[in-house]
Amino acid sequence: MTEFLVRHFVKDYEAVEKSAVRTAYGVLASMVGIVCNVFLFLVKFIVGLLLHSVSVTADAFNNLSDAASSIITLVGFGMAGKPADEDHPFGHGRMEYVSGLVVSILILMMGVELFKTSVEKVIHPEVITEQWISYVILVISIALKFWMYMFNKGIGWRIHSETMKATAADSLNDCISTAAVVGGMLVFHYFHLNIDGIVGIFVACFVLWGGYESIKDTMNPLLGESPDPELIAKITETVLNHKMVIGVHDIVVHDYGPGRRIVSLHAEVPYNKDMMEVHDLMDHIEMRLMEEYHCEATIHMDPVVTDDEEVNETRKEVFNIVKKYDKTLSVHDFRMVKGPTHTNVIFDLVIPYGKDYEPEKIVKDLKQKIKDEMQGKHYAVIRVDRF
């Protein structure tokens, strides 16, 4: 069914890197979500009224919130697909994240209201009226929501959309919450125990948890999360595949929305190579990164002395001192400046985030270790990097 819809409603559906194709996928998923969720809301709301069941009614309004979410997602994808303009030179791709954040807030608000209503039903329970058609409708609802989960998950992975993946997770939560409603009705049927309000609280908690997870997923790219380690590894490998490049560091990935990445990095090259030749190579690498990873790249070239035995030996010695101090640290942009009384060894020190790193202490310790282990002839000038 998913392939049928994609093939008939998404033109050029295989070119997922294109903004227009992503937008078409988003519009399709949103329209499917609106139609399915409005249908489920109407059916469940009527059943909830007939049965006097707060859990069924809560589940109905959960579907209504999902329909509202799909409408906002539809608007978000439409705005995200707008081309760059004078005021937004990097495009409008982050609108997809903003729409996801609005959806998440709506889900949380709905969850709070459902929770309050369910608590009231626990305190003041109402008699549940049973009808066999309600079981049929709820089971159909579970099946439809599971299909929507598979549909949204497939599209989310296909176009690499956190918004669609969050929508898929919400559909799976709906399956579980509706199953809980059916379970509560069966408990009442067989044991004459009214747990309708308790099940309503359970459903509300699922809605709240889904909203929290969605907020977390949409806030991270807006705040500026760490790039995918796999992407960094692939970019590094691609750049190092060129013989002239000795090392790569300071890779920064700016995310301006799905499919809109700007990458900057430093590539170390031998200092004695022809500048025009090196520049041509950097242009070539930038084009390869665009072709392979669909990102605009800017490469800064760092000249490195490779044919001075003293520099090479000193570099190796300094690297060993740093690794012996802490193997998680790394060094780049190493150079030496000789003077009449001592030699300055100048380098950038990469200190990872996490753990209990104290940059000032690490720098102080390493300066002293380099001075001690190199007989006081070398003074370290260290710049800290946190990439």
Side-chain angles (χ1 to χ4, degrees):
M1 186 63 175
T2 300
E3 285 299 320
F4 173 82
L5 291 172
V6 167
R7 289 174 185 273
H8 282 78
F9 293 99
V10 180
K11 186 179 179 181
D12 200 15
Y13 63 91
E14 291 182 341
V16 294
E17 72 279 358
K18 294 181 180 179
S19 177
V21 175
R22 281 185 56 84
T23 301
Y25 270 104
V27 169
L28 171 62
S30 300
M31 292 304 297
V32 168
I34 292 168
V35 171
C36 292
N37 283 307
V38 168
F39 168 74
L40 290 173
F41 164 72
L42 292 173
V43 172
K44 288 183 185 178
F45 184 70
I46 293 170
V47 171
L49 291 178
L50 293 174
L51 301 181
H52 303 290
S53 171
V54 67
S55 60
V56 176
T57 306
D59 206 30
F61 277 99
N62 184 24
N63 291 136
L64 183 62
S65 73
D66 290 342
S69 300
S70 294
I71 293 171
I72 294 171
T73 301
L74 177 64
V75 174
F77 267 101
M79 296 182 69
K82 290 174 62 179
D85 55 35
E86 186 177 350
D87 295 325
H88 307 91
F90 299 109
H92 299 76
R94 285 181 176 168
M95 278 305 301
E96 185 177 329
Y97 303 143
V98 174
S99 67
L101 181 61
V102 174
V103 167
S104 303
I105 293 171
L106 285 176
I107 291 172
L108 281 180
M109 292 171 62
M110 184 64 68
V112 171
E113 289 301 316
L114 293 178
F115 188 86
K116 287 165 58 179
T117 304
S118 299
V119 170
E120 290 173 4
K121 290 296 181 181
V122 171
I123 299 171
H124 305 291
E126 293 183 5
V127 177
I128 299 176
T129 305
E130 286 193 285
Q131 293 185 18
W132 67 269
I133 190 65
S134 61
Y135 290 100
V136 175
I137 289 172
L138 292 176
V139 169
I140 292 173
S141 168
I142 293 171
L144 180 57
K145 272 294 182 177
F146 186 76
W147 175 81
M148 291 177 66
Y149 159 70
M150 298 298 294
F151 173 76
N152 288 314
K153 182 182 178 183
I155 288 183
W157 282 108
R158 188 174 297 194
I159 66 173
H160 306 290
S161 169
E162 291 301 324
T163 300
M164 295 313 306
K165 291 176 186 177
T167 303
D170 187 45
S171 296
L172 185 60
N173 285 343
D174 289 345
C175 289
I176 298 170
S177 62
T178 304
V181 172
V182 174
M185 291 170 61
L186 290 173
V187 168
F188 180 77
H189 177 79
Y190 288 106
F191 302 101
H192 304 290
L193 184 63
N194 189 345
I195 59 170
D196 187 50
I198 296 173
V199 173
I201 291 174
F202 176 80
V203 173
C205 288
F206 256 92
V207 175
L208 289 168
W209 178 255
Y212 165 74
E213 287 292 317
S214 297
I215 283 181
K216 195 167 65 172
D217 289 338
T218 52
M219 280 292 289
N220 284 340
L222 284 172
L223 291 174
E225 62 184 341
S226 298
D228 181 5
E230 185 179 350
L231 175 64
I232 297 298
K234 287 180 178 178
I235 290 174
T236 302
E237 182 182 3
T238 300
V239 178
L240 289 176
N241 274 340
H242 299 81
K243 291 182 180 179
M244 195 185 296
V245 179
I246 300 168
V248 178
H249 58 86
D250 288 359
I251 301 178
V252 179
V253 180
H254 300 279
D255 184 352
Y256 290 97
R260 297 172 175 84
R261 285 192 296 248
I262 295 179
V263 176
S264 63
L265 60 92
H266 290 217
E268 296 178 351
V269 295
Y271 78 105
N272 52 2
K273 292 291 183 180
D274 180 74
M275 185 175 68
M276 295 301 292
E277 183 184 356
V278 175
H279 183 270
D280 180 71
L281 175 63
M282 296 302 113
D283 281 347
H284 171 71
I285 296 173
E286 288 172 355
M287 285 188 287
R288 275 202 62 189
L289 292 176
M290 170 61 80
E291 291 169 1
E292 294 185 22
Y293 309 113
H294 311 292
C295 58
E296 295 182 33
T298 302
I299 302 178
H300 172 81
M301 47 187 178
D302 287 335
V304 176
V305 175
T306 57
D307 58 357
D308 187 313
E309 189 176 338
E310 183 183 356
V311 172
N312 290 340
E313 192 61 36
T314 304
R315 182 193 294 114
K316 183 179 178 182
E317 198 171 345
V318 170
F319 281 20
N320 287 337
I321 291 170
V322 171
K323 285 297 181 184
K324 195 163 39 173
Y325 178 81
D326 188 332
K327 63 182 180 181
T328 64
L329 305 177
S330 60
V331 172
H332 61 77
D333 279 350
F334 182 91
R335 61 190 188 277
M336 287 173 53
V337 178
K338 295 181 181 180
T341 59
H342 68 279
T343 297
N344 282 339
V345 289
I346 306 166
F347 58 88
D348 287 5
L349 179 70
V350 181
I351 303 176
Y353 289 101
K355 295 174 64 175
D356 293 321
Y357 290 110
E358 298 179 32
E360 291 182 4
K361 181 180 183 304
I362 292 172
V363 169
K364 182 179 178 181
D365 290 348
L366 286 176
K367 284 183 175 180
Q368 189 61 48
K369 282 183 175 295
I370 290 170
K371 184 178 180 182
D372 292 343
E373 295 189 26
M374 303 182 78
Q375 291 80 46
K377 297 179 181 178
H378 295 78
Y379 287 22
V381 179
I382 302 174
R383 176 182 175 273
V384 174
D385 263 356
R386 299 306 298 272
F387 292 103

